[in-house]
Amino acid sequence: MPNPKRRHSQQRSAKRRTHYKAEPVTLSKDSTTGELHVRHRAHVSEGKLFYKGKLVAEKAPLKA
């Protein structure tokens, strides 16, 4: 497996890493409950688990 012959400078590594940025989380409004939630994730509303506006579980799972 190929390895670099010489050490890369800190500046060179920093230049490469400048494009790694944290993006804001996209929120959506649920059609049935009207709550804001993270997209493509199930969310709890009033003790019930919802996904894509549909009831998935009557009792939400407990967080560990």
Side-chain angles (χ1 to χ4, degrees):
M1 189 160 161
N3 286 320
K5 242 181 188 175
R6 296 183 186 266
R7 183 174 187 265
H8 281 207
S9 67
Q10 292 174 349
Q11 183 180 15
R12 188 180 180 117
S13 301
K15 283 180 186 176
R16 185 181 65 246
R17 291 187 186 117
T18 59
H19 303 289
Y20 298 141
K21 299 179 184 114
E23 295 182 9
V25 178
T26 307
L27 297 176
S28 293
K29 189 175 181 182
D30 192 355
S31 56
T32 54
T33 61
E35 285 193 22
L36 285 177
H37 63 91
V38 182
R39 291 184 66 114
H40 307 291
R41 301 285 188 278
H43 66 282
V44 177
S45 176
E46 299 174 4
K48 298 176 183 175
L49 191 66
F50 286 90
Y51 182 69
K52 289 187 177 179
K54 297 176 185 169
L55 182 66
V56 178
E58 281 292 327
K59 282 180 83 175
L62 296 174
K63 289 187 178 180

